[in-house]
Amino acid sequence: MQHRKILLTENDIPDHWYNIVADMPNKPLPPLHPGTKEPIGPEALAPLFPMELIKQEVSADKWVSIPDPVRDVYTLWRPTPLYRAYGLEKALDTPARIYYKYEGLSPAGSHKPNTAVPQAYYNKMEGVKRITTETGAGQWGSALSFACNHFGIECEVYMVKISYEQKPYRKFMMNTWGATVHSSPTDHTNAGRQILAGDPNSPGSLGIAISEAMERAATDDNTKYALGSVLNHVLMHQTIIGLEAVKQMEMAGEMPDVVVAPFGGGSNFAGIAFPFLRLNFDEGKTIRCVASEPSSCPKLTRGVFRYDFGDTVGMTPLLPMYTLGHNFVPAPIHAGGLRYHGAGVIVSQLLKDQLIEARAHDQLECFEAGVAFAKAEGIIPAPEASHALATVFAEAQAAKEEGKPRTILFNLCGHGHFDLKAYDDYFSGRLVKHEVTSADIENSLAMLDTPLI
Amino acid sequence: MQHRKILLTENDIPDHWYNIVADMPNKPLPPLHPGTKEPIGPEALAPLFPMELIKQEVSADKWVSIPDPVRDVYTLWRPTPLYRAYGLEKALDTPARIYYKYEGLSPAGSHKPNTAVPQAYYNKMEGVKRITTETGAGQWGSALSFACNHFGIECEVYMVKISYEQKPYRKFMMNTWGATVHSSPTDHTNAGRQILAGDPNSPGSLGIAISEAMERAATDDNTKYALGSVLNHVLMHQTIIGLEAVKQMEMAGEMPDVVVAPFGGGSNFAGIAFPFLRLNFDEGKTIRCVASEPSSCPKLTRGVFRYDFGDTVGMTPLLPMYTLGHNFVPAPIHAGGLRYHGAGVIVSQLLKDQLIEARAHDQLECFEAGVAFAKAEGIIPAPEASHALATVFAEAQAAKEEGKPRTILFNLCGHGHFDLKAYDDYFSGRLVKHEVTSADIENSLAMLDTPLI
């Protein structure tokens, strides 16, 4: 009997997160004030985030201690297993050795609770009564609902109206953990009322939901805001994935040649890749790290590196990022978690410095890979995870063509239990390729008047 | 940091199933021919099942070897974790120590693949090309789809029409693993055509779906049939749950005073309880085993012990079981897996002999327990699992009233990811208590002309 799983014990749960900023040859550029366009300091974030998270956001310490109460909640599902994908290797008839880290075992079904839990914890420690956030497809909203429930904090989620109506299961999940879920735009924020005045039937957007959640936090002393990706502290919390995976690969007796993860705002990719990049920095290893993005939203492979807003309406600080422009509207692909116009600051700098790679895949290619994976390994992957799979398939094919082994590790960031409608659309031929023309990208970028780098 | 999980390695996956028949003081009575009402032998089952499963069905061997290829598939998710429910103990403010075995980590999300995998394997070994089955809510159908895909067998699922239409996610899941799913009644079996002739808009029923699936298997040489509960071999395959749990409780340094599981046809309960009953038989322990059934379908607590049919139309052999009568129509509660009129033969005999206990709970009580569990432990339980939780809550309350510790173990048989609509119905006050009157039960039993015991 072959051993598929490499398991750690609860004692092996890392006691520090890894902060890659300490090792980056070029440090991230500072955020700029949205109005003055001058660099801003951490104090500008104080209305939105608790001080401990702001400290982490600007920290240059290489290791940041994980509080015991956070590790205690992690034990509800961590450490997560590392699988050797024997079934997939056989199905692909490849000499590549394929491993995956499975993050779908968390109560919310994805890697998102890895950061939701510490974010809720630090808010609790600073006496915050309520956290607001936005959610699209609902993965982040459910993760934060779960975490807030654990620490006894109210959670208020602004869910994009069209998802609220089309994907009720995620809403019910948030309700089960006690969260209040609003169909955004609402009539109880200025931002929402403004949108509704223009279009009472607005289907909402992530940009609008961000504006509503931020407004709520900025105007209530007991309320803070939480973000599920992009920011430095969020990426750092996710490194628990890769820190565990490094130990598990050591147990397997080898290191990956290439590490692959889906790419939305960056936390998924950072989570598994940064601890392996550390081995490149500290031990001179040459592990390739590849971010897999949708070809319908190709900021890493076809965007530009410049300052841009994090939201659609231009309220957030300006961040130095690979971006398609904050007015870019990605096609409605099923990997909702990857439909974001910009990349997190750290990942953008690493890509600029050619320390990581990126690759784009069409959703049809991704679903084909996802179905093949489900048949070979059992687990039905989330559409986001299938983007990593498409890269893994390409790497496995390259190994086959070269006739040489290659060790591949990827982040299976979540299950697809709430995405089965998308699988049905795929089987029924209702999914289409989404080609982004160069003109689409140029038009979106032409609208930017943000500072160049 | 407290340790929540007691984990085994893949080496610890049991290499034998436990067959409780060997230890029963009173052996199960024989099945009877539906027409002649004379005892039938194993050969009567040959059109439906492969010979190896028929041998297991009538085996008196105490231990039955698990084939290596089956153990190999088990490693996709087994061994499953045993959790100490610290969060729940705190929420209930009880001196009881509560443990749960979590079976929701299988690709299909419940304990059902534990038997689907060996069933598909033995069929494959005997050259079977296609397996048919019925499914209601879809847990069994998806488990069998997963297993058949693994061994390269076609899987044809007759899914009750009303579930097919109302619960499409489970259908899409089966499709992803390559199964064909029919909305039953269909027009390609005699049984289906007969129903449709009488009512072209028939919503279907489990009884009709069983008839269709059995007819298809009985009339095609390359096709066999598979059942997800009730039968002896199915219950035996599930003992892998309890065999692992016994090892894990030993690692925890204690044995349960009481073992609790939901009860539908018996495989869920048998899976966790039988290996602990073995300790009662072999080592003189006095572990209580409690089956938790819905009060809307109370065959164990309010049914009679007599011969009855396994299906609604009376095609199957007559089995000696606790039953409400095969014409009993349970209320449409959300724990679809527990809406079955009769109990498996072995469990019925054990209850008759007072070697196990049973307890009934209303669905409102179960959802209340399920939500409390989700808040305390993170995992959102399937409605079936919440029936066990209702019993656990009662046991924990009893311990509190006595002011004495009590060690409780229960089977958290699956997650509720596909049942979140039911949670929403609960939150919205749309769920009602389903009281079964004594007259309902008497009327159903009065229709029986099957042999008494």
Side-chain angles (χ1 to χ4, degrees):
Chain A
M1 197 177 73
Q2 288 171 316
H3 284 223
R4 292 180 196 268
K5 297 190 291 292
I6 298 160
L7 298 172
L8 301 172
T9 72
E10 292 176 356
N11 285 330
D12 299 314
I13 294 177
D15 50 16
H16 288 76
W17 294 296
Y18 169 56
N19 180 11
I20 198 171
V21 170
D23 287 331
M24 289 171 71
N26 295 311
K27 304 301 176 194
L29 298 170
L32 307 181
H33 188 278
T36 67
K37 293 175 181 159
E38 293 298 317
I40 55 170
E43 68 289 349
L45 299 171
L48 293 178
F49 301 104
M51 201 41 63
E52 194 59 35
L53 288 175
I54 294 173
K55 279 188 202 158
Q56 291 182 0
E57 185 64 19
V58 298
S59 169
D61 296 343
K62 183 160 177 168
W63 298 102
V64 173
S65 177
I66 305 178
D68 272 347
V70 171
R71 294 178 79 222
D72 180 66
V73 188
Y74 280 163
T75 62
L76 282 170
W77 74 98
R78 305 206 71 87
T80 60
L82 184 84
Y83 278 81
R84 173 78 187 270
Y86 287 114
L88 184 63
E89 291 172 16
K90 193 174 159 198
L92 294 178
D93 186 24
T94 173
R97 301 158 64 85
I98 306 176
Y99 293 85
Y100 57 96
K101 180 78 168 159
Y102 184 37
E103 291 291 308
L105 299 180
S106 77
S110 79
H111 64 297
K112 293 288 185 190
N114 294 333
T115 182
V117 170
Q119 290 195 48
Y121 169 76
Y122 291 119
N123 274 286
K124 180 71 178 180
M125 287 302 97
E126 297 184 23
V128 173
K129 303 290 181 218
R130 187 186 297 110
I131 302 180
T132 63
T133 199
E134 71 287 336
T135 201
Q139 285 175 346
W140 167 242
S142 37
L144 192 66
S145 302
F146 157 73
C148 284
N149 166 72
H150 186 89
F151 289 109
I153 303 176
E154 283 179 46
C155 183
E156 215 175 274
V157 181
Y158 290 83
M159 186 170 187
V160 178
K161 183 180 175 192
I162 190 163
S163 296
Y164 183 94
E165 289 173 353
Q166 289 178 352
K167 301 190 174 181
Y169 273 43
R170 281 278 178 191
K171 169 186 177 297
F172 302 153
M173 190 175 214
M174 296 182 237
N175 293 150
T176 303
W177 287 314
T180 305
V181 186
H182 302 296
S183 173
S184 166
T186 73
D187 62 3
H188 54 260
T189 66
N190 286 328
R193 281 189 292 268
Q194 206 173 325
I195 298 289
L196 289 173
D199 176 6
N201 296 315
S202 164
S205 73
L206 210 48
I208 297 166
I210 292 176
S211 302
E212 290 207 278
M214 282 176 61
E215 178 184 327
R216 187 89 169 85
T219 56
D220 183 326
D221 279 351
N222 290 319
T223 303
K224 298 281 181 192
Y225 169 73
L227 202 63
S229 190
V230 178
L231 297 182
N232 300 355
H233 66 276
V234 182
L235 272 57
M236 186 185 72
H237 297 157
Q238 292 292 355
T239 60
I240 191 152
I241 302 172
L243 292 167
E244 286 181 5
V246 168
K247 286 191 202 179
Q248 289 164 310
M249 290 303 303
E250 282 168 356
M251 288 163 72
E254 59 179 329
M255 275 293 136
D257 296 305
V258 54
V259 177
V260 179
F263 196 90
S267 77
N268 191 328
F269 172 77
I272 196 159
F274 285 6
F276 288 94
L277 285 174
R278 184 187 76 77
L279 302 182
N280 291 357
F281 292 130
D282 283 359
E283 300 176 13
K285 291 207 173 9
T286 55
I287 298 167
R288 294 168 50 220
C289 293
V290 185
S292 304
E293 66 179 4
S295 60
S296 56
C297 191
K299 61 222 170 211
L300 297 178
T301 52
R302 296 172 69 191
V304 296
F305 184 57
R306 72 181 283 177
Y307 274 99
D308 198 3
F309 295 104
D311 64 336
T312 312
V313 288
M315 282 174 64
T316 70
L318 286 156
L319 300 173
M321 47 163 60
Y322 274 90
T323 180
L324 296 163
H326 62 274
N327 292 301
F328 184 82
V329 180
I333 60 164
H334 278 289
L338 310 184
R339 294 181 65 238
Y340 187 68
H341 68 276
V345 170
I346 293 176
V347 177
S348 292
Q349 187 65 51
L350 292 169
L351 183 65
K352 178 74 182 164
D353 293 341
Q354 299 185 306
L355 295 169
I356 62 170
E357 303 170 34
R359 186 157 182 157
H361 301 279
D362 184 81
Q363 68 173 349
L364 292 181
E365 183 188 358
C366 298
F367 272 97
E368 189 183 351
V371 171
F373 181 82
K375 289 190 170 177
E377 295 284 324
I379 300 164
I380 298 177
E384 288 81 3
S386 294
H387 283 72
L389 274 165
T391 297
V392 169
F393 278 39
E395 293 283 336
Q397 179 63 26
K400 189 173 173 179
E401 282 163 14
E402 291 170 16
K404 283 201 301 196
R406 174 181 309 205
T407 301
I408 306 169
L409 167 67
F410 74 97
N411 194 21
L412 185 64
C413 57
H415 60 64
H417 297 172
F418 300 104
D419 307 286
L420 284 162
K421 176 68 170 55
Y423 278 85
D424 186 50
D425 287 346
Y426 170 68
F427 291 130
S428 309
R430 286 192 294 269
L431 288 195
V432 292
K433 264 198 162 177
H434 286 292
E435 296 290 350
V436 179
T437 66
S438 298
D440 289 338
I441 296 174
E442 279 163 27
N443 288 341
S444 174
L445 292 174
M447 295 168 73
L448 288 186
D449 60 355
T450 56
L452 296 170
I453 297 171
Chain B
M1 197 178 71
Q2 287 172 317
H3 284 224
R4 292 180 196 269
K5 297 190 291 294
I6 298 160
L7 298 172
L8 300 171
T9 71
E10 292 177 356
N11 285 330
D12 298 314
I13 294 178
D15 50 15
H16 287 78
W17 294 296
Y18 169 56
N19 181 10
I20 199 171
V21 171
D23 286 332
M24 289 170 72
N26 295 311
K27 305 301 176 194
L29 298 170
L32 307 181
H33 188 279
T36 66
K37 296 180 177 154
E38 294 298 319
I40 55 171
E43 67 288 349
L45 299 171
L48 293 178
F49 301 105
M51 200 42 65
E52 193 59 35
L53 288 175
I54 295 173
K55 279 188 202 158
Q56 291 182 359
E57 185 64 19
V58 298
S59 169
D61 296 344
K62 183 161 177 169
W63 298 101
V64 173
S65 177
I66 306 178
D68 272 347
V70 170
R71 294 179 78 223
D72 180 66
V73 187
Y74 280 163
T75 62
L76 282 169
W77 75 97
R78 304 206 72 85
T80 59
L82 184 84
Y83 277 82
R84 173 78 186 270
Y86 287 114
L88 184 63
E89 290 172 17
K90 194 174 157 198
L92 295 178
D93 185 25
T94 173
R97 300 158 66 85
I98 306 176
Y99 294 85
Y100 56 95
K101 180 78 169 159
Y102 185 36
E103 291 291 308
L105 300 179
S106 76
S110 79
H111 64 298
K112 293 288 184 189
N114 294 333
T115 182
V117 170
Q119 289 195 49
Y121 168 76
Y122 292 119
N123 273 285
K124 180 70 177 181
M125 288 301 99
E126 297 184 25
V128 174
K129 303 289 182 218
R130 186 186 298 111
I131 301 181
T132 64
T133 199
E134 70 287 335
T135 201
Q139 284 175 347
W140 168 241
S142 37
L144 192 67
S145 301
F146 157 73
C148 285
N149 165 73
H150 187 90
F151 289 109
I153 302 176
E154 284 179 45
C155 183
E156 216 174 273
V157 181
Y158 290 82
M159 186 170 185
V160 178
K161 183 180 175 191
I162 189 163
S163 296
Y164 183 95
E165 290 173 353
Q166 289 179 351
K167 302 189 172 180
Y169 275 42
R170 280 279 177 191
K171 170 187 176 297
F172 302 153
M173 190 174 215
M174 297 182 236
N175 292 151
T176 302
W177 286 315
T180 304
V181 186
H182 302 297
S183 172
S184 168
T186 72
D187 62 3
H188 54 260
T189 66
N190 286 328
R193 281 189 292 268
Q194 207 174 322
I195 298 290
L196 290 173
D199 177 6
N201 296 316
S202 164
S205 73
L206 210 49
I208 297 166
I210 293 176
S211 301
E212 290 207 278
M214 283 177 62
E215 177 184 327
R216 187 91 168 84
T219 56
D220 183 327
D221 279 351
N222 289 319
T223 303
K224 298 283 182 192
Y225 169 73
L227 202 64
S229 189
V230 178
L231 297 181
N232 301 355
H233 66 275
V234 180
L235 273 57
M236 185 185 72
H237 297 157
Q238 292 292 356
T239 60
I240 191 152
I241 302 171
L243 292 167
E244 287 181 5
V246 167
K247 285 190 202 181
Q248 288 164 311
M249 290 303 304
E250 281 167 357
M251 288 163 72
E254 58 179 328
M255 275 294 135
D257 297 304
V258 54
V259 177
V260 180
F263 196 90
S267 76
N268 191 327
F269 172 77
I272 196 158
F274 285 5
F276 289 93
L277 286 174
R278 184 187 77 75
L279 302 182
N280 291 356
F281 292 130
D282 283 0
E283 300 176 13
K285 291 205 172 12
T286 56
I287 299 166
R288 295 168 49 220
C289 294
V290 184
S292 304
E293 65 179 4
S295 58
S296 56
C297 191
K299 60 222 171 211
L300 297 178
T301 52
R302 296 172 69 190
V304 296
F305 184 57
R306 72 182 282 176
Y307 274 99
D308 199 2
F309 295 105
D311 63 338
T312 312
V313 289
M315 283 174 63
T316 70
L318 286 156
L319 301 173
M321 48 164 58
Y322 274 90
T323 181
L324 296 163
H326 61 275
N327 291 302
F328 183 81
V329 180
I333 60 165
H334 279 288
L338 309 185
R339 294 180 65 239
Y340 186 69
H341 67 276
V345 170
I346 292 175
V347 177
S348 293
Q349 187 65 52
L350 292 169
L351 183 66
K352 177 75 182 164
D353 294 342
Q354 300 185 305
L355 296 169
I356 61 171
E357 303 169 34
R359 185 156 183 158
H361 301 280
D362 184 81
Q363 68 174 348
L364 291 181
E365 183 188 357
C366 297
F367 273 97
E368 190 184 350
V371 171
F373 181 82
K375 289 191 169 175
E377 295 284 323
I379 300 164
I380 298 177
E384 287 81 3
S386 293
H387 283 72
L389 274 166
T391 298
V392 169
F393 279 39
E395 292 283 337
Q397 180 63 26
K400 188 173 174 180
E401 284 164 12
E402 291 171 16
K404 282 202 300 194
R406 174 182 309 205
T407 301
I408 305 168
L409 166 68
F410 73 97
N411 195 22
L412 185 64
C413 57
H415 60 63
H417 297 172
F418 300 104
D419 306 286
L420 284 162
K421 176 68 170 57
Y423 278 85
D424 186 50
D425 287 346
Y426 171 69
F427 292 129
S428 308
R430 286 191 295 270
L431 288 196
V432 292
K433 264 200 163 180
H434 286 293
E435 297 290 351
V436 180
T437 66
S438 297
D440 288 338
I441 296 174
E442 278 162 29
N443 288 341
S444 174
L445 292 174
M447 294 168 74
L448 288 185
D449 61 354
T450 56
L452 297 169
I453 295 171

